[in-house]
Amino acid sequence: MSSPASLRFVLGDQLSRTVSSLADAEPGKDIILMAEVAEEATHVRHHKKKIAFLFSAMRHFAEDLRAEGFTVEYLRLDAPGTPRTFGAVLQAAVLRHTPDRVILTEPSEYRVLQAARKWQEEIGAALEIRSDDRFLASHEEFRAWALGPKGLQPKTLRMEFFYREMRRRTGYLMDGDAPTGGHWNFDHDNRGTMPDSVIPPVRPSFPPDALTLEVLTLVEARFGDHFGVLDSFDYPVTRADALAYLDWFTQSALPHFGDYQDAMRAGAPLMFHSHLSALINCGLLDPRECCARAEIAFARGEAPLNAAEGFIRQIIGWREFIRGVYWLKMPDYGMANALGADRPLPDFFWTAQTRLNCLHHAIAETRDNAYAHHIQRLMVIGNFCLLAGIDPKSVQDWFLIVYFDAYEWVEMPNVVGMALYADGGFLASKPYAASGAYIDRMSDYCGGCAFDVKAKSGPKACPFNYLYWDFLDRNQDALKSNHRMGMIMASLRKMTPQRLGEIRADARHFLDAL
Ligand code: FAD
Ligand code: DLZ
Ligand code: SF4
């Protein structure tokens, strides 16, 4: 057999026809390698729906490449002899095919990039690692922005300034040098409470085809004891279905995305959110095409500015910023614990059996769907972990396991920096800490709860109420110099010793029973 020119190794979150490793691939000449490996599914015990989604998307992507005429070597997890790790897969493939070089797009996670850098020695062939230009800002561009003209390591970084830079660079919603509508950010219009009369749209369902059914059987057999429900899997797993999903979002949900971005309702896991993160993160959708659709919808008068701007901000702002922070701060970022939180993760994170109704809904939906929207993640689950002082490493592991869009590069800064303030304010200007009043305002959870959101102390009181003040009290030293916390810390200092005693006693009682 003649040697192929190159072997192109495509990882599970690189399912884009435009990914750099495939940019110059030639049908009939190069070999494309893809593999389902046990190590990736078990280094943390991913949600069953997440594994099913990714394996099915990988298998369909391989089929699409074959239909284009490419030679794809696809190793299924259950095929005899499939190696357990990426490194072993590659080593064996190089022995089989003796390519003149191996081409890989840079892995999205630090752990895998470190391993990839060693593959060169192990495989005995030239390995070319290309940058991942599906992101809008390269590592060098983000670093240059973060370090500024003097090249100094920053003490803090704020998304808003990075976002403006990205708007200028991309030209999304720009009128010359000025932002469309005269403001960069319509965040204040994104906090509406949702009247009962507003009904979120029903998302389209993509019933499993034969390929997906095979994957579902495999996942149940091999990962049946992992967290999560596998039943009624109906997510898009092909490029064509992903595009149809994007169309559905821009037509049906985007128009209200801005108004109700922070709202929560029992039994409505999606609200007006896009549900696109997993599709973008694994490569089935390109972030640029998602933003372009939102911009077109605005230009055609199909979506208001606060919706289009809010959605584009999440993608070219938050998503890129989060990734930039990850690569700037690794490898130490995962160990950050500025508030010294050390409580173990409560068991109910795996069962959803808790009397706190907001947490019950957010965790049960996570278990059923491998999805919860941003405010459930940040202001219910993350907020609880922050207030209760749960050890950041176990919170990171949980978030990496349970969501079908979770990869370390995006999960870690969101947990460490945004939800837990464990980086001491590098990413967020103040902790996202809130009492029950916030959850009550933004959701209908409190009406069905065993606790009373209005009560501040005693056995019926909403735990978020006393945990909030107990958190501020416990962390006075760490938070006292934060200007944005000045007023609330002053209120804490004005509390009578008796009131403070009640808060501490309620919090201790609740936390001891966790
Ligand atoms: P939408 O609300 O429709 O937003 C549109 C898109 O913007 C998303 O699809 C996503 O691509 C992007 N986006 C929005 N917010 C963020 C953000 N903070 N960081 C990065 N991208 C963002 N997102 C992940 O993709 N993977 C994760 O593992 C993940 N873990 C998170 C953990 C915590 C504690 C928090 C607070 C947030 C986390 N997020 C994560 C960010 C955000 O919650 C999800 O991207 C969003 O909920 C996905 O749902 P959606 O597609 O409906 O988003
Ligand atoms: C998340 C995941 C899982 C569960 N399984 C695989 C797999 O079997 N094969 C694969 O190529 N990718 C998988 N992934 C995604 C990888 O974890 C992801 O590509 C890397 O972590 C990126 O650094
Ligand atoms: Fe959550 Fe408190 Fe409301 Fe219950 S009362 S749902 S615990 S915020």
Side-chain angles (χ1 to χ4, degrees):
M1 184 181 151
S2 68
S3 287
S6 57
L7 181 68
R8 315 221 170 207
F9 193 15
V10 174
L11 307 184
D13 58 353
Q14 300 179 343
L15 309 181
S16 316
R17 187 57 192 84
T18 54
V19 73
S20 55
S21 58
L22 295 180
D24 51 355
E26 291 181 47
K29 187 170 173 214
D30 299 326
I31 290 188
I32 298 172
L33 174 68
M34 297 178 69
E36 296 165 7
V37 291
E39 160 84 358
E40 291 306 302
T42 55
H43 76 98
V44 293
R45 292 160 55 84
H46 294 292
H47 193 298
K48 283 182 273 198
K49 271 203 173 107
K50 176 178 180 182
I51 303 176
F53 166 72
L54 213 64
F55 283 9
S56 176
M58 287 173 66
R59 290 184 186 194
H60 283 93
F61 184 68
E63 288 301 301
D64 286 351
L65 290 172
R66 283 186 185 124
E68 257 193 79
F70 284 107
T71 306
V72 183
E73 185 169 270
Y74 189 99
L75 307 184
R76 292 187 175 200
L77 187 85
D78 50 355
T82 296
R84 289 185 56 80
T85 64
F86 283 147
V89 162
L90 192 56
Q91 206 167 6
V94 168
L95 280 178
R96 271 194 306 281
H97 300 294
T98 59
D100 66 355
R101 62 187 175 141
V102 173
I103 299 174
L104 173 77
T105 291
E106 179 191 83
S108 66
E109 297 185 328
Y110 184 86
R111 166 185 68 87
V112 184
L113 180 62
Q114 292 304 99
R117 290 201 168 121
K118 298 203 185 110
W119 295 344
Q120 173 83 63
E121 298 143 35
E122 293 162 10
I123 61 178
L127 173 66
E128 182 186 334
I129 302 181
R130 297 181 176 174
S131 60
D132 191 345
D133 51 21
R134 294 173 302 167
F135 289 93
L136 284 81
S138 68
H139 295 319
E140 295 73 29
E141 285 163 341
F142 187 85
R143 211 180 151 73
W145 171 80
L147 270 57
K150 294 190 178 150
L152 299 176
Q153 276 295 338
K155 291 207 173 70
T156 60
L157 283 179
R158 294 293 169 256
M159 192 284 293
E160 181 61 28
F161 302 111
F162 171 74
Y163 168 56
R164 292 179 191 181
E165 199 61 39
M166 295 298 282
R167 285 277 291 283
R168 288 192 192 96
R169 269 188 42 197
T170 58
Y172 290 131
L173 298 177
M174 294 293 290
D175 296 329
D177 290 340
T180 303
H183 299 283
W184 291 103
N185 184 318
F186 292 84
D187 203 17
H188 56 277
D189 293 341
N190 296 151
R191 297 187 187 132
T193 54
M194 199 163 97
D196 291 348
S197 55
V198 175
I199 309 292
V202 178
R203 68 172 183 82
S205 163
F206 298 87
D209 63 5
L211 213 54
T212 302
L213 287 172
E214 278 180 355
V215 168
L216 294 175
T217 307
L218 167 74
V219 171
E220 198 54 74
R222 286 290 294 268
F223 308 109
D225 58 346
H226 282 208
F227 176 72
V229 169
L230 193 54
D231 297 345
S232 47
F233 180 93
D234 67 348
Y235 292 158
V237 287
T238 64
R239 166 81 179 146
D241 288 350
L243 284 171
Y245 216 45
L246 175 59
D247 278 346
W248 163 79
F249 167 70
T250 32
Q251 282 157 22
S252 310
L254 180 65
H256 282 308
F257 176 86
D259 301 335
Y260 304 126
Q261 210 175 318
D262 289 6
M264 299 174 277
R265 183 182 286 172
L270 226 58
M271 306 298 276
F272 289 90
H273 290 269
S274 69
H275 209 231
L276 293 177
S277 49
L279 302 177
I280 302 173
N281 293 350
C282 81
L284 289 182
L285 289 176
D286 186 89
R288 291 174 187 85
E289 71 191 340
C290 297
C291 294
R293 293 290 177 104
E295 195 178 37
I296 291 169
F298 168 67
R300 287 185 183 153
E302 292 161 5
L305 184 55
N306 74 326
E309 186 283 316
F311 181 70
I312 289 174
R313 174 166 19 103
Q314 303 311 314
I315 294 189
I316 66 168
W318 277 114
R319 185 170 186 272
E320 295 283 332
F321 178 74
I322 286 286
R323 186 222 187 202
V325 167
Y326 175 73
W327 285 105
L328 196 68
K329 300 296 270 181
M330 283 305 279
D332 301 332
Y333 204 48
M335 304 311 290
N337 191 359
L339 302 180
D342 58 3
R343 193 173 298 282
L345 192 77
D347 281 348
F348 68 74
F349 273 67
W350 304 111
T351 62
Q353 283 173 10
T354 166
R355 292 164 66 226
L356 285 79
N357 200 36
C358 49
L359 276 169
H360 164 71
H361 279 284
I363 296 173
E365 286 170 7
T366 299
R367 176 198 61 205
D368 295 348
N369 308 325
Y371 174 85
H373 70 67
H374 186 65
I375 296 303
Q376 292 175 304
R377 297 188 203 194
L378 182 63
M379 298 310 295
V380 177
I381 302 173
N383 182 23
F384 178 82
C385 294
L386 172 74
L387 301 187
I390 312 290
D391 151 48
K393 186 69 184 78
S394 49
V395 181
Q396 285 175 61
D397 283 349
W398 188 83
F399 272 94
L400 187 57
I401 286 171
V402 303
Y403 292 115
F404 83 135
D405 56 23
Y407 300 87
E408 192 186 77
W409 67 266
V410 55
E411 163 275 317
M412 184 187 285
N414 270 300
V415 171
V416 170
M418 200 183 298
L420 299 186
Y421 202 74
D423 63 3
F426 183 79
L427 184 155
S429 56
K430 70 183 182 76
Y432 281 93
S435 68
Y438 173 86
I439 296 174
D440 192 28
R441 190 165 66 250
M442 299 315 302
S443 78
D444 64 355
Y445 294 142
C446 300
C449 187
F451 297 101
D452 178 358
V453 72
K454 302 269 186 270
K456 307 286 180 235
S457 60
K460 285 293 281 179
C462 165
F464 280 89
N465 290 343
Y466 49 76
L467 288 179
Y468 175 74
W469 290 107
D470 187 62
F471 164 77
L472 298 179
D473 180 34
R474 281 197 325 265
N475 292 294
Q476 283 199 56
D477 278 350
L479 301 178
K480 68 182 173 210
S481 55
N482 184 315
H483 300 304
R484 294 198 62 201
M485 300 295 286
M487 266 168 53
I488 201 75
M489 296 313 272
S491 306
L492 177 72
R493 283 193 296 275
K494 279 189 214 140
M495 270 183 189
T496 62
Q498 189 201 343
R499 177 74 193 111
L500 207 51
E502 280 170 10
I503 288 167
R504 288 176 180 160
D506 281 337
R508 195 174 323 114
H509 183 252
F510 176 86
L511 293 172
D512 285 351
L514 269 183

